[in-house]
Amino acid sequence: MKTSLYFLMLFLLFLNCASDDDTNVSVEPMYFPPLNSNLWETKSVESLGWNQSAVPDLLNYLENKNTKGFIILVNGKIVLENYFNGHDASSSWYWASAGKTLTSTMVGIAEKEGLLNSHAKVSDYLGNGWTAAPLSKENLITNRHLLTMTSGLNETLGNDVSPANLQFVADAGTRWAYHNVYVKLQEVVAQATGQTWSAYFNSRLRDRIGMTGTWIANDGLSVFYSNTRSMARFGLLMLNKGKWETNVIVPESYLTNAMTTSQEINKAYGYLWWLNGKDSFKLPQTQFHFQGSLIPNAPIDMICALGKNDQKIYIIPSKKMVVIRLGQVANPENPTFGLSGFDNDLWVKINAIMN
């Protein structure tokens, strides 16, 4: 009898240990908010074993740093959702370059449908002469080179992506440089699918996961605007490896490539996604290699969508967590194209809650 009781206690102890990871998150199924509804289940800070007393400091910091919308999801459920500076749950805001990840995702969806090949030449879809590069050099540029920022085109000529402004610097695949030429992928998707970019995006991604929002022309680029919850829905889809409930929206195999190092020139870059925890990284507007992790205070497995003026999607698989920040630039005296000191400082505040 004593032996049976002993093994029963060991079994119960095993179950208890197996039910929680380092974030005290149960192995409960991932939650997905229903489509076409404002319903979204919540989780309390206390239920996660987090520090409620550190929450006010985080919220004050966010408000003082010009934040408009902020959400933390764990296991798909809302732990924190806060709005500041005249913003509310229905307010729309731009994603800036955080929306590059939407373009990357759409390439994966179109490829899943057999409509394009990410390794094919861009010229196969847009025709010859879509750049000012010599034809032999233009024909080296594939869709994957646009996904990885390794087109070899001159990034210093501004947002204009007309042919005359897309000039040769180096062979595709030999140089990493942050360049808005990636937007040509939207034209590739439109040509490959026979639909407008917006129509294909809406039917294959936005509407299938309950997002709202629209693409608006801004300074020569197409920029996505939505409410904060729509950004959180996209982050949740990425956290769940491309599946919404049981529906495969984008193949996991594609996202595995998109969310890992895509080339050795910038180890912190995937397919228009930023990757934390690498031993070095490069940043926009410089060819310098910085040593160390992209955001040292953040989890090393974090994957990021980073946009101008501190638009953020942080995805942390080990913690089953998504963090969203929309707003104006956090430090007006030091505006950035994506990564900023704000990222590292924000994670100090988030870590104080999780500890």
Side-chain angles (χ1 to χ4, degrees), residues 124-327:
D124 289 345
Y125 303 89
L126 303 187
N128 295 335
W130 67 275
T131 75
L135 185 59
S136 62
K137 300 302 184 181
E138 180 180 279
N139 281 334
L140 296 176
I141 305 172
T142 67
N143 295 320
R144 190 177 182 278
H145 289 129
L146 299 189
L147 288 167
T148 60
M149 295 291 182
T150 57
S151 69
L153 299 172
N154 190 342
E155 77 281 8
T156 67
L157 303 178
N159 288 338
D160 180 3
V161 292
S162 63
N165 215 46
L166 297 178
Q167 299 180 11
F168 174 81
V169 171
D171 285 353
T174 66
R175 181 176 184 268
W176 187 93
Y178 196 78
H179 194 321
N180 278 326
V181 70
Y182 87 93
V183 79
K184 288 292 182 179
L185 288 167
Q186 296 176 7
E187 295 181 29
V188 168
V189 169
Q191 288 291 329
T193 62
Q195 300 183 41
T196 66
W197 164 254
S198 292
Y200 189 71
F201 171 83
N202 292 348
S203 65
R204 297 304 197 276
L205 178 58
R206 188 193 71 174
D207 298 346
R208 295 188 69 191
I209 65 172
M211 293 173 64
T212 60
T214 189
W215 294 89
I216 297 176
N218 188 328
D219 193 21
L221 301 175
S222 184
V223 178
F224 194 65
Y225 285 71
S226 81
N227 60 32
T228 312
R229 282 192 171 193
S230 288
M231 188 181 250
R233 282 177 179 266
F234 177 67
L236 178 56
L237 175 69
M238 297 296 101
L239 177 65
N240 203 48
K241 301 178 181 179
K243 290 175 67 176
W244 191 265
E245 296 180 324
T246 59
N247 300 317
V248 177
I249 308 298
V250 57
E252 181 179 347
S253 58
Y254 177 83
L255 289 183
T256 298
N257 291 327
M259 294 179 152
T260 54
T261 298
S262 59
Q263 31 62 53
E264 290 302 311
I265 309 169
N266 186 357
K267 295 180 180 180
Y269 210 70
Y271 291 177
L272 307 180
W273 286 94
W274 291 93
L275 314 173
N276 203 38
K278 308 305 176 184
D279 59 15
S280 66
F281 58 92
K282 296 182 75 172
L283 291 176
Q285 298 186 313
T286 176
Q287 287 296 303
F288 184 76
H289 269 98
F290 297 88
Q291 296 303 306
S293 186
L294 192 69
I295 305 173
N297 289 331
I300 61 172
D301 66 326
M302 187 171 77
I303 302 151
C304 318
L306 303 175
K308 183 179 180 181
N309 295 337
D310 296 307
Q311 320 311 322
K312 316 286 184 185
I313 304 174
Y314 303 126
I315 299 166
I316 308 94
S318 63
K319 298 182 181 297
K320 303 176 185 176
M321 186 172 171
V322 174
V323 181
I324 304 297
R325 189 271 183 185
L326 287 173

